[in-house]
Amino acid sequence: MKEKIRIASGQGFWGDLLTAPVDQVTKGPIDYMMMDYLAEVTMSIMQKQKMKNPALGYAKDLVPLMERILPVIMEKKIRVITNGGGVNPIGCRDAIFAAATKLGITGLTIGVVVGDDILLQLDALRSKGVALKNMETDENLDAVRDRLVSANVYFGAKPIVEALDRGAQIVLTGRTTDTALTYAPMIHEFGWSWSDWDKLAAGVVAGHINECGGQATGGNFSADWKNVPDLAHIGFPIAEAYPNGDVIFTKHDGTGGLVTVQSVSEQLLYEIGDPTKYITPECVADFTTIRLDQVGKNRVKVSGVKGKPNTDSYKVSMSYADGYTAISTLTYAWPDALEKAKKADEILRTRLADLGLSFDEIRTEFLGLNSCHGPMAPIPALINEVVLRIGVRGRDFSAVERFGKEIAPLILTGPPAVTGFAGGRPKPSEVIAYWPALMPKDAVTPSVIVETI
Amino acid sequence: MRVQLLQICHARSGDKGDTGNVGLIARKPEYYPVIKKYVTAEAVKKHFAGVCLGPVDRFELPNLLALNFLLHHSLGGGGTVSLMNDAQGKTLSSAMLRMEIDVAEPLSLSARAYV
């Protein structure tokens, strides 16, 4: 067994810093790199892309990135684990194989995890008694069944570990818990038992720290952002994992950012609920047992994590089409900037009413004043300029589209000293609403496909 | 003494659907009992009046000198439904740090409180 393994974080979301994964594989030693591409609504975007072109439906950025780093990871034997396969991990694999062939690379083994996409099996599952009620509102799925765009099960680390055990150098998944991308290599390398709850929980905690990239290493750092060194060249986190479950977080030497108890604490608190019950498919981690120690410069040790047995359910993430929104902005300058913006808002609302257009919601915010903190933000005496931001949401596409045509006229038919309408009419964008559900684990089985070229 | 949380805490926030989460972290171990005593779920609900339209849950993480708050119905429906500029609640953290508390106990604030 290896004394330790280093699992680097390469992407915290689809759209993250493109140089980060390149830095991770070139600027120092690592054994694994995980990359998270999937937010809650990302799968619906990918389903739409796949509907238009059956070869797509994965994180397209991943292919040029892999083309860039393939020679390095082949030479250094770095293994890459990512959920960037989206709703078409096989198509993603084929594109990466094609890139490898173009580079003259042979002997590349890619493992693909499939089975999480249950969109086409929904009715069969429901006839077997899997209700898929909304776990937050308890609503019946019938309410949105005909508008569903995606349905994916959150698998855990098990299929990833299987792919690694079978020799995959790259593992591509669809919907998988973000944390599994980090702790699957620990289970693969250290042979942890699937009932060693404390070690599994330690892996989950490491995964939570890794999964948002630079947010653990000085990015979005509330404690002391002015003194974070060289954010322009921020180093993403690296989990140095040990067989006993201890993990030391660090980053490559020579990179910017920082790794401190404060930076890691902020990330640990990001998007959590009850800290004693962080539920994953493999265990329930207790974040109130985590111990953090600064053990060196840019080195934070994570230890003491306790876990509890897993539950009988997988979480299912579904999304459905729920109308349209359009949002637009206009900038008003001194004098009386805020009064002008408020008057423009009033004129616009009057015109929308005169047209007989109705919306589920019209929302006005004043950027620069209170769009972030609302009534908590005091209004200053002198306002140099303010951005009127107005948005509508409704089921009627044509009403939302018509709203977009009512913005530009305000420039010549509303209050003066207005600018900032260079982007053209706002186009309606489809609202994709989220439907979380639970399903029994025995109702679905992941499969792992491993191939070599 | 009246203390603004900005002086003694740092914070991070995020979203889960229409619920915002705010992790509030004491800058020093001696500040943790203070925030635990004064930054109650009720006080936070009052602070976020007009923003948080549902209940507030509070969880304690003494190991991280932290409190975690869930602010239900705070994000205009959340996700792509929301028309808010900050639909993901990223700035709820700094909104939390605006909060002021009246502390009965003696409290030593560093000269450079906001480091």
Side-chain angles (χ1 to χ4, degrees), chain A residues 215 219-220 222-224 266-267 269-273 275 287-288 290 363 365 371 373 376 389 393 432, chain B residues 10-13 15 21 25 27 47-48 59 63 68 80-81 83-85 90-91 94-95 98 114-115:
Chain A
Q215 242 197 174
N220 191 22
S222 139
D224 191 17
E266 284 194 21
Q267 176 53 25
L269 286 152
Y270 182 63
E271 289 183 353
I272 64 166
F287 276 35
T288 67
I290 299 167
R363 186 181 181 92
E365 294 179 332
S371 79
H373 292 178
M376 287 170 277
R389 181 181 188 274
R393 186 182 67 246
I432 301 295
Chain B
H10 56 118
R12 175 165 295 172
S13 57
D15 67 313
N21 111 283
I25 308 167
R27 289 183 178 273
H47 178 64
F48 282 93
F59 302 94
N63 54 320
N68 184 43
T80 66
V81 176
L83 295 172
M84 291 171 69
N85 185 33
K90 301 282 186 190
T91 64
S94 62
R98 283 181 181 274
Y114 177 49
V115 289

Side-chain angles (χ1 to χ4, degrees), chain A residues 74-264:
Chain A
M74 294 299 286
E75 186 203 328
K76 295 186 173 178
K77 297 187 167 47
I78 295 167
R79 301 170 89 169
V80 174
I81 303 166
T82 176
N83 57 13
V87 296
N88 191 2
I90 297 282
C92 183
R93 176 201 65 190
D94 293 346
I96 293 171
F97 272 152
T101 304
K102 199 164 81 181
L103 293 166
I105 288 170
T106 54
L108 172 65
T109 303
I110 300 182
V112 177
V113 177
V114 293
D116 63 297
D117 185 351
I118 56 167
L119 187 61
L120 299 177
Q121 302 152 47
L122 275 182
D123 297 318
L125 282 166
R126 294 182 78 207
S127 68
K128 279 188 250 170
V130 182
L132 297 169
K133 279 201 240 176
N134 188 311
M135 63 187 276
E136 281 164 13
T137 64
D138 210 38
E139 253 182 300
N140 190 300
L141 187 64
D142 289 334
V144 299
R145 173 67 189 93
D146 57 342
R147 290 185 279 144
L148 281 180
V149 184
S150 68
N152 294 81
V153 181
Y154 274 97
F155 288 143
K158 267 185 189 154
I160 302 174
V161 172
E162 184 189 332
L164 293 171
D165 289 347
R166 289 166 60 187
Q169 181 161 3
I170 299 171
V171 182
L172 301 171
T173 76
R175 186 53 93 186
T176 299
T177 56
D178 303 343
T179 52
L181 306 172
T182 292
Y183 68 84
M186 303 180 194
I187 298 164
H188 165 73
E189 294 277 0
F190 303 141
W192 291 345
S193 153
W194 290 105
S195 58
D196 192 340
W197 313 118
D198 292 348
K199 289 203 182 68
L200 295 174
V204 167
V205 169
H208 187 86
I209 297 168
N210 244 0
E211 74 185 33
C212 292
Q215 242 197 174
T217 53
N220 191 22
F221 184 46
S222 139
D224 191 17
W225 68 272
K226 288 179 186 170
N227 291 304
V228 177
D230 195 15
L231 270 177
H233 305 103
I234 186 170
F236 274 34
I238 298 169
E240 197 177 276
Y242 293 82
N244 69 352
D246 289 354
V247 178
I248 294 176
F249 268 87
T250 185
K251 65 186 187 65
H252 283 322
D253 290 340
T255 59
L258 49 75
V259 185
T260 64
V261 168
Q262 285 186 323
S263 76
V264 172

Side-chain angles (χ1 to χ4, degrees), chain A residues 288-308:
Chain A
T288 67
T289 60
I290 299 167
R291 186 190 156 104
L292 299 180
D293 294 286
Q294 193 83 41
V295 294
K297 192 184 179 195
N298 292 319
R299 289 177 69 78
V300 171
K301 183 177 171 186
V302 184
S303 62
V305 185
K306 296 287 179 199
K308 287 167 268 193

Side-chain angles (χ1 to χ4, degrees), chain A residues 33-51:
Chain A
M33 179 164 70
M34 58 73 66
M35 293 189 286
D36 175 23
Y37 284 93
L38 301 183
E40 275 165 1
V41 298
T42 313
M43 294 306 245
S44 59
I45 299 167
M46 292 172 163
Q47 282 288 12
K48 284 184 182 175
Q49 291 173 346
K50 192 182 172 191
M51 276 180 229

